[in-house]
Amino acid sequence: MAELTPPDSPHEHLIQSPDPNHPANLICELCRKFYTLGWVTGTGGGTSIRNNDHIFIAPSGVQKELMDPKDMFVMCAQKREYLRKPNFLKPSACTPLFLAAFDRGAGCCIHTHSQWAVLVTLLVERELGPQACFEIEQIEQIKGIPKGRGKSGNLGYYDRLRIPIIENTAHEEDLTDSLEEAMEKYPDAYAILVRRHGIYVWGDNVHKAKTQCESIDYILQLAVEMHKIGLPWTKSRPQRTWFGRFLDGLQRPLIY
Amino acid sequence: MAELTPPDSPHEHLIQSPDPNHPANLICELCRKFYTLGWVTGTGGGTSIRNNDHIFIAPSGVQKELMDPKDMFVMCAQKREYLRKPNFLKPSACTPLFLAAFDRGAGCCIHTHSQWAVLVTLLVERELGPQACFEIEQIEQIKGIPKGRGKSGNLGYYDRLRIPIIENTAHEEDLTDSLEEAMEKYPDAYAILVRRHGIYVWGDNVHKAKTQCESIDYILQLAVEMHKIGLPWTKSRPQRTWFGRFLDGLQRPLIY
Amino acid sequence: MAELTPPDSPHEHLIQSPDPNHPANLICELCRKFYTLGWVTGTGGGTSIRNNDHIFIAPSGVQKELMDPKDMFVMCAQKREYLRKPNFLKPSACTPLFLAAFDRGAGCCIHTHSQWAVLVTLLVERELGPQACFEIEQIEQIKGIPKGRGKSGNLGYYDRLRIPIIENTAHEEDLTDSLEEAMEKYPDAYAILVRRHGIYVWGDNVHKAKTQCESIDYILQLAVEMHKIGLPWTKSRPQRTWFGRFLDGLQRPLIY
Amino acid sequence: MAELTPPDSPHEHLIQSPDPNHPANLICELCRKFYTLGWVTGTGGGTSIRNNDHIFIAPSGVQKELMDPKDMFVMCAQKREYLRKPNFLKPSACTPLFLAAFDRGAGCCIHTHSQWAVLVTLLVERELGPQACFEIEQIEQIKGIPKGRGKSGNLGYYDRLRIPIIENTAHEEDLTDSLEEAMEKYPDAYAILVRRHGIYVWGDNVHKAKTQCESIDYILQLAVEMHKIGLPWTKSRPQRTWFGRFLDGLQRPLIY
């Protein structure tokens, strides 16, 4: 997509580097990996990295596995103004949500359309109600998630992982308010699920955001498979009588 | 398969280009990707690109992940006559269906045997009847599908995605009439499911056809997984009584 | 594994060729692909190609994705004697089964441990009895399978694909008799399932064996998924009363 | 991560080799493969190789698909002291568990967070009780697992594969006692499952550990799929009456 970018821009140096760990190169490499994981199929999802004064953001509506550093938007972290806008490319609608994560100290934010995320939001709504978070405990992979802002170290095996769920909106940018609200209400969360949409995961840096996103997606997939074979996500959940569960089964639409 | 092609043909230049975005190269690259997605296993499926006066079509009966530009058929878009026919290769039986899409302004048409597509056609037939379309709403990925011919922009989150389903026939070319019928009846559709067979997806250009095909396949997979755990595809579906659903469950063959 | 092969053998030329389509190179390339498909995990499965007077066979007990032409066994097609035996490698226990296919005119035979194959053999045993074949009809991918020996062309959409199932034995070579029996009883079959084990698929040449194996594996996977959501494999299956199906459901062990 | 390692260390030669089969290179290559299999997602899992006097161990908390030989820890097999510790990297918490396997003659030990392993530990707990092992028989892939220490050859098709399950602990190193206990109680085991965590698999050498790990993971996945469609893992399991099974079904939480 090189032809879409302004060769004469004064800010080309911002996205030109031979270093594979330069944010512009890293976003392309990460998105190639996310594509194979099914997280950014059909131009869905997005990724943004904050590097000191600069915020690098993948554009909207491009094939994420084919991106080129020339496709990157670059924003000034202070002024929140674009330093570089590729011609003919639209900035990501996720931008305000990425910025909300950066406002809370994140160094990288990843948005995926993982089907496991979508299925879990639907299961939680049906089984626990529209206000409920996704909660799971006593799964080793939980130890891949940090305790929370300002706290050192990661969750323990016996800690409960709690991921808030917000309702989807017609326009992605309109998610910002409820996302920030959830961030305030759950200050320890490093991820927020969006009903019928996907998930936002952020971390202190690229390494943490990517590995936390992998750990959470692993847990979400496991949760769906556990549900399929009737295994509860939390041990504390009060057991119903068998007749109550029998009726629950009937309440659930047998034909989709 | 180079040895299968006529080195002395006057039209070799049509498929020879160093540009990775040349249709002959692009079809090979796309099919390698589609193979890894399970869309074109066992020589199934196909892809065609219209480039101004020329229509490039992958041949029939070849391993789609091993194709070479030399394997491409090239047709004159006006006269609908082959300008280039590789020796020993059969033209795709999908050709008339691809042409039907090009007649309606498509720039690229993709045919897959995705198992999700096949399963959805069977679920819709059993649950909603043989005349029903596949319908789903309030899934973010729906926003990856355009509103329809002549309309600008894509479907919204609250719009309902509606994909018509036609019955399969003994010979693929015999699908043409019902495909065109469905195209007339559902002028906004960019995809048509074929019962027990797969799906045809087209778009204004290669980028759109490929990403729409990915978005639709994502939605079809999600729909099957939603069904497995008893989640409805549409909110408007009238709720049955638990006893009605109980009987529905019994009506469904418990042994396959 | 080069160090395992006799550098001084008079038959090294049989497996040394720059041609990617040379059987010794092709088997390695195919097995790399089969590994990614989960067909030959843990040294399982195998592949053999007949090329005029020579039969090339992948060894036993090696990581199939890491094979080297130097690991190939080569047998004289007439005398059925090894022309080349790599030191320290064991010939495949599948060898007599591959030879049975070659006796019937095959040019290539593939053996996989595909989980879909194993699951289908278990479902058929439970639902239709230990004598039953796997049968399915009206799935487009069936058209990827030839009609049978001496018959021209492939099965049609309305034809029924019938794959015999033989019982597994303690030692793989002991499968030979029942495999040949099944080949006689079902002369049109290009594949035979082995209960709790996997599948043997053969074809007139490498291209056909590989694509037929892909088409059959696609169909076996689809069959398992169809069963999970209560969809019958054949239309002609007599419908039971809902109460009969209700009892069938109870007969099936609910706890694994 | 080269910058994390001490260029002036006297033991750099231990991890520098052009030989792809050198343990330091092999661990990186294996972990790249394990990542694509979903075994070491989110920095989970680990791998260790014993090579005569030296034990090579992948570090903790790194992206396993991106490891570099420079990231390896090297320990003296006798003294159990580190000969090489990369700066800024933490040694794997699995180290004492790897050493327990080496104490019993293993040459390589692999730890994965495979979801199939986690699901099987949960199914066994629910269906057979917290003390039960995972047991399965008459699956061909069982022949990929050795009979046991000091015994020659692999399990047969009619042998029962028995994998002990230990309870998870808050800290991975605290698993050592119960792991060693299980190793004593089941001296023939080459693998031990950890409830809600994953699995440890070891073998006499890298080839055996890797292929045994693949065979076991294949069997664990198959076991979960068998359970989903109501197929028993062992033939000897006493059949319940249909009413008993009916009640069993009700006992199982229908809502997760």
Side-chain angles (χ1 to χ4, degrees):
Chain A
M1 302 179 178
E3 70 279 15
L4 299 185
T5 67
D8 57 345
S9 152
H11 293 292
E12 285 315 281
H13 67 281
L14 289 176
I15 51 98
Q16 290 166 348
S17 165
D19 176 6
N21 289 319
H22 182 284
N25 297 330
L26 216 43
I27 287 177
C28 300
E29 179 57 28
L30 285 170
C31 285
R32 270 190 290 277
K33 191 173 281 184
F34 297 164
Y35 178 81
T36 67
L37 295 170
W39 290 356
V40 295
T41 187
T43 81
T47 302
S48 180
I49 297 174
R50 175 181 178 152
N51 188 17
N52 305 322
D53 296 350
H54 299 132
I55 294 170
F56 297 78
I57 313 168
S60 170
V62 303
Q63 298 178 54
K64 295 288 189 289
E65 77 276 20
L66 299 181
M67 283 193 304
D68 184 285
K70 294 206 183 65
D71 302 329
M72 293 300 127
F73 284 74
V74 186
M75 186 180 263
C76 168
Q78 275 67 36
K79 301 211 198 84
R80 298 291 161 99
E81 287 163 3
Y82 285 109
L83 298 172
R84 181 178 190 275
K85 292 178 80 159
N87 298 347
F88 312 116
L89 288 180
K90 294 219 313 290
S92 171
C94 311
T95 303
L97 297 102
F98 293 147
L99 298 179
F102 296 141
D103 286 337
R104 283 151 185 81
C108 175
C109 189
I110 298 166
H111 170 48
T112 88
H113 284 188
S114 166
Q115 298 205 358
W116 308 114
V118 174
L119 290 168
V120 162
T121 62
L122 291 164
L123 284 172
V124 169
E125 181 180 37
R126 185 183 67 192
E127 309 290 355
L128 300 171
Q131 305 304 324
C133 294
F134 166 67
E135 303 193 14
I136 193 165
E137 62 196 358
Q138 296 192 35
I139 299 296
E140 180 69 8
Q141 198 76 35
I142 289 174
K143 291 158 77 171
I145 318 296
K147 277 214 189 81
R149 283 173 62 201
K151 302 176 181 175
S152 75
N154 284 10
L155 292 173
Y157 172 67
Y158 290 104
D159 294 331
R160 182 176 291 198
L161 172 66
R162 196 175 273 100
I163 304 179
I165 304 174
I166 61 177
E167 299 301 325
N168 199 24
T169 52
H171 303 292
E172 196 140 19
E173 48 274 35
D174 299 341
L175 286 171
T176 316
D177 292 349
S178 49
L179 187 92
E180 291 186 314
E181 213 175 276
M183 286 169 158
E184 295 313 317
K185 190 170 171 197
Y186 300 92
D188 289 340
Y190 278 95
I192 288 176
L193 286 155
V194 184
R195 186 114 49 216
R196 300 174 164 273
H197 180 153
I199 190 168
Y200 281 85
V201 181
W202 58 94
D204 300 345
N205 53 48
V206 174
H207 168 85
K208 288 188 178 180
K210 183 260 195 182
T211 57
Q212 288 164 210
C213 196
E214 284 182 345
S215 292
I216 288 170
D217 202 61
Y218 167 102
I219 291 167
L220 294 171
Q221 175 177 7
L222 184 64
V224 173
E225 290 301 315
M226 285 171 76
H227 180 90
K228 280 185 190 169
I229 51 184
L231 295 160
W233 294 340
T234 56
K235 295 215 153 182
S236 54
R237 193 145 199 280
Q239 288 299 313
R240 315 279 300 277
T241 67
W242 71 260
F243 189 68
R245 288 194 295 262
F246 178 58
L247 290 184
D248 290 330
L250 299 179
Q251 297 313 330
R252 184 189 312 170
L254 290 176
I255 56 165
Y256 72 114
Chain B
M1 302 177 178
E3 69 280 15
L4 299 185
T5 67
D8 57 344
S9 152
H11 292 98
E12 287 314 281
H13 67 280
L14 289 176
I15 53 98
Q16 290 166 345
S17 164
D19 175 6
N21 289 319
H22 182 283
N25 298 329
L26 217 43
I27 286 176
C28 299
E29 180 57 30
L30 285 170
C31 285
R32 272 190 289 277
K33 191 173 281 182
F34 297 164
Y35 178 82
T36 67
L37 294 171
W39 290 357
V40 295
T41 187
T43 81
T47 303
S48 180
I49 297 174
R50 175 179 180 154
N51 188 17
N52 305 322
D53 296 350
H54 300 133
I55 293 170
F56 298 78
I57 313 169
S60 170
V62 302
Q63 297 177 55
K64 296 289 190 285
E65 78 277 18
L66 300 181
M67 283 194 303
D68 184 285
K70 293 207 181 65
D71 301 329
M72 295 299 128
F73 284 74
V74 186
M75 187 180 262
C76 168
Q78 276 67 36
K79 301 211 197 82
R80 298 290 162 98
E81 288 164 1
Y82 287 108
L83 297 172
R84 179 176 191 279
K85 293 178 80 159
N87 298 345
F88 312 115
L89 288 179
K90 295 218 313 288
S92 170
C94 312
T95 303
L97 296 101
F98 292 146
L99 297 179
F102 296 141
D103 286 339
R104 282 151 187 81
C108 175
C109 189
I110 298 166
H111 170 49
T112 89
H113 284 189
S114 165
Q115 298 205 0
W116 308 114
V118 174
L119 289 168
V120 161
T121 63
L122 290 164
L123 284 172
V124 169
E125 181 180 38
R126 184 183 68 193
E127 309 291 354
L128 301 172
Q131 305 305 323
C133 295
F134 166 66
E135 304 193 13
I136 194 165
E137 62 196 359
Q138 297 191 34
I139 299 295
E140 180 70 7
Q141 198 77 34
I142 289 173
K143 290 158 77 171
I145 318 297
K147 278 216 189 82
R149 283 173 62 200
K151 303 175 180 175
S152 76
N154 283 8
L155 291 173
Y157 172 68
Y158 289 104
D159 294 332
R160 182 176 292 198
L161 172 65
R162 195 176 273 100
I163 303 180
I165 303 174
I166 62 177
E167 298 302 325
N168 199 24
T169 52
H171 303 292
E172 196 141 18
E173 49 271 36
D174 299 341
L175 285 171
T176 315
D177 292 349
S178 50
L179 187 92
E180 291 185 314
E181 213 173 278
M183 285 169 159
E184 296 312 318
K185 190 169 168 198
Y186 300 92
D188 289 340
Y190 277 96
I192 288 176
L193 286 155
V194 184
R195 186 114 48 215
R196 300 173 164 274
H197 180 153
I199 190 166
Y200 281 85
V201 180
W202 60 92
D204 300 345
N205 53 48
V206 174
H207 168 83
K208 288 187 178 180
K210 182 261 194 182
T211 56
Q212 288 163 210
C213 196
E214 283 182 347
S215 291
I216 288 171
D217 201 62
Y218 167 102
I219 291 166
L220 295 170
Q221 175 177 5
L222 185 64
V224 173
E225 290 300 315
M226 286 171 76
H227 179 90
K228 280 185 189 168
I229 49 183
L231 295 160
W233 295 340
T234 55
K235 297 217 152 178
S236 54
R237 195 144 197 281
Q239 290 298 314
R240 316 280 300 277
T241 69
W242 71 260
F243 189 70
R245 287 193 295 262
F246 179 58
L247 289 184
D248 290 331
L250 300 178
Q251 296 313 327
R252 186 189 310 171
L254 291 175
I255 56 165
Y256 74 116
Chain C
M1 301 181 181
E3 70 281 12
L4 298 184
T5 66
D8 57 343
S9 153
H11 292 292
E12 286 314 282
H13 67 281
L14 289 175
I15 52 98
Q16 290 166 345
S17 166
D19 176 7
N21 288 318
H22 182 284
N25 298 329
L26 216 43
I27 287 177
C28 300
E29 179 57 29
L30 285 170
C31 285
R32 271 189 289 278
K33 192 173 282 182
F34 297 163
Y35 177 81
T36 65
L37 295 170
W39 290 356
V40 296
T41 188
T43 81
T47 303
S48 181
I49 297 174
R50 176 182 178 154
N51 188 17
N52 304 322
D53 295 350
H54 299 132
I55 293 170
F56 297 79
I57 313 169
S60 171
V62 301
Q63 297 178 52
K64 296 289 189 288
E65 78 277 19
L66 299 181
M67 283 194 304
D68 184 284
K70 294 205 181 67
D71 301 329
M72 294 299 127
F73 284 75
V74 186
M75 187 180 261
C76 167
Q78 276 69 37
K79 302 211 195 83
R80 297 290 161 98
E81 287 164 2
Y82 287 108
L83 298 172
R84 178 175 193 281
K85 293 178 79 159
N87 299 342
F88 312 113
L89 287 180
K90 295 218 315 291
S92 171
C94 312
T95 303
L97 296 102
F98 292 147
L99 297 178
F102 296 142
D103 287 339
R104 284 153 184 80
C108 175
C109 188
I110 297 166
H111 170 49
T112 89
H113 285 188
S114 165
Q115 298 205 358
W116 309 114
V118 173
L119 289 168
V120 162
T121 63
L122 290 164
L123 284 172
V124 169
E125 181 180 38
R126 184 182 69 191
E127 308 290 355
L128 301 171
Q131 304 305 322
C133 296
F134 166 66
E135 304 194 14
I136 193 165
E137 62 196 357
Q138 297 192 32
I139 298 296
E140 179 70 7
Q141 198 77 33
I142 289 173
K143 291 159 77 171
I145 318 297
K147 276 211 190 82
R149 281 174 62 201
K151 302 175 181 175
S152 75
N154 284 9
L155 291 173
Y157 171 68
Y158 289 104
D159 294 332
R160 182 178 292 198
L161 172 66
R162 195 176 274 101
I163 303 179
I165 303 174
I166 62 177
E167 297 303 325
N168 199 25
T169 53
H171 304 291
E172 196 141 17
E173 48 274 33
D174 298 341
L175 285 171
T176 316
D177 292 350
S178 50
L179 187 92
E180 289 186 314
E181 212 175 276
M183 286 169 158
E184 295 312 319
K185 189 170 170 198
Y186 301 91
D188 289 341
Y190 278 95
I192 288 176
L193 286 155
V194 185
R195 186 114 48 215
R196 300 172 163 277
H197 181 152
I199 189 167
Y200 281 86
V201 180
W202 58 91
D204 301 345
N205 53 48
V206 174
H207 168 84
K208 287 187 179 179
K210 182 261 193 181
T211 56
Q212 288 163 210
C213 196
E214 284 181 346
S215 291
I216 288 170
D217 201 63
Y218 167 102
I219 291 166
L220 294 170
Q221 175 177 7
L222 185 64
V224 173
E225 290 301 314
M226 286 171 76
H227 179 89
K228 280 185 189 168
I229 49 183
L231 295 159
W233 296 340
T234 56
K235 296 215 152 177
S236 55
R237 193 142 198 282
Q239 288 300 312
R240 316 278 301 275
T241 68
W242 71 260
F243 190 69
R245 287 194 297 263
F246 179 57
L247 289 183
D248 290 329
L250 300 179
Q251 295 313 327
R252 185 189 310 171
L254 291 176
I255 56 165
Y256 76 114
Chain D
M1 302 180 177
E3 71 282 13
L4 299 183
T5 68
D8 57 343
S9 153
H11 291 99
E12 286 315 281
H13 67 282
L14 290 175
I15 52 98
Q16 289 166 347
S17 165
D19 176 6
N21 289 318
H22 182 284
N25 298 329
L26 217 43
I27 287 177
C28 300
E29 179 58 29
L30 285 170
C31 286
R32 271 189 289 277
K33 191 173 282 182
F34 297 164
Y35 178 81
T36 67
L37 294 170
W39 291 356
V40 295
T41 187
T43 82
T47 302
S48 180
I49 296 174
R50 175 182 179 153
N51 187 19
N52 305 321
D53 296 348
H54 299 133
I55 293 171
F56 297 78
I57 313 169
S60 172
V62 302
Q63 297 178 53
K64 296 288 188 291
E65 77 277 19
L66 299 181
M67 283 194 304
D68 185 283
K70 294 207 181 68
D71 302 329
M72 294 299 127
F73 284 75
V74 187
M75 186 181 262
C76 168
Q78 275 67 38
K79 303 212 195 85
R80 298 290 162 100
E81 289 163 0
Y82 287 107
L83 298 172
R84 180 178 192 277
K85 292 178 81 159
N87 298 345
F88 312 114
L89 287 180
K90 294 220 313 291
S92 171
C94 311
T95 303
L97 297 104
F98 292 148
L99 297 179
F102 296 142
D103 287 338
R104 283 151 185 80
C108 175
C109 189
I110 298 165
H111 170 49
T112 88
H113 285 188
S114 165
Q115 299 205 357
W116 309 115
V118 174
L119 290 168
V120 162
T121 63
L122 291 164
L123 285 171
V124 169
E125 181 180 38
R126 186 181 68 193
E127 309 290 356
L128 301 170
Q131 305 305 322
C133 295
F134 167 66
E135 303 193 16
I136 193 165
E137 63 197 358
Q138 297 192 33
I139 298 296
E140 180 70 8
Q141 197 77 33
I142 289 173
K143 291 159 77 172
I145 318 297
K147 276 212 190 81
R149 282 174 62 201
K151 302 176 181 174
S152 74
N154 284 9
L155 292 173
Y157 172 67
Y158 290 104
D159 295 331
R160 182 177 290 199
L161 172 65
R162 196 176 272 100
I163 303 179
I165 303 174
I166 62 177
E167 298 302 325
N168 199 25
T169 52
H171 303 292
E172 196 140 18
E173 48 274 33
D174 298 341
L175 286 171
T176 315
D177 292 350
S178 51
L179 187 92
E180 289 185 314
E181 213 174 274
M183 284 169 159
E184 296 311 319
K185 190 170 171 198
Y186 300 92
D188 290 340
Y190 278 95
I192 288 176
L193 286 155
V194 185
R195 186 114 48 215
R196 300 174 164 275
H197 181 151
I199 190 167
Y200 281 86
V201 181
W202 59 92
D204 300 345
N205 53 49
V206 175
H207 168 85
K208 287 188 180 179
K210 183 259 194 182
T211 57
Q212 288 162 210
C213 197
E214 284 181 346
S215 292
I216 289 170
D217 201 61
Y218 167 102
I219 291 166
L220 294 171
Q221 175 177 8
L222 185 63
V224 172
E225 290 301 314
M226 285 171 75
H227 179 90
K228 280 186 191 168
I229 50 185
L231 295 159
W233 294 340
T234 55
K235 294 215 153 180
S236 54
R237 193 139 199 285
Q239 288 300 313
R240 316 278 301 275
T241 67
W242 71 260
F243 189 69
R245 287 194 296 263
F246 178 58
L247 289 184
D248 290 330
L250 300 180
Q251 296 312 329
R252 184 188 313 172
L254 290 176
I255 55 163
Y256 73 114

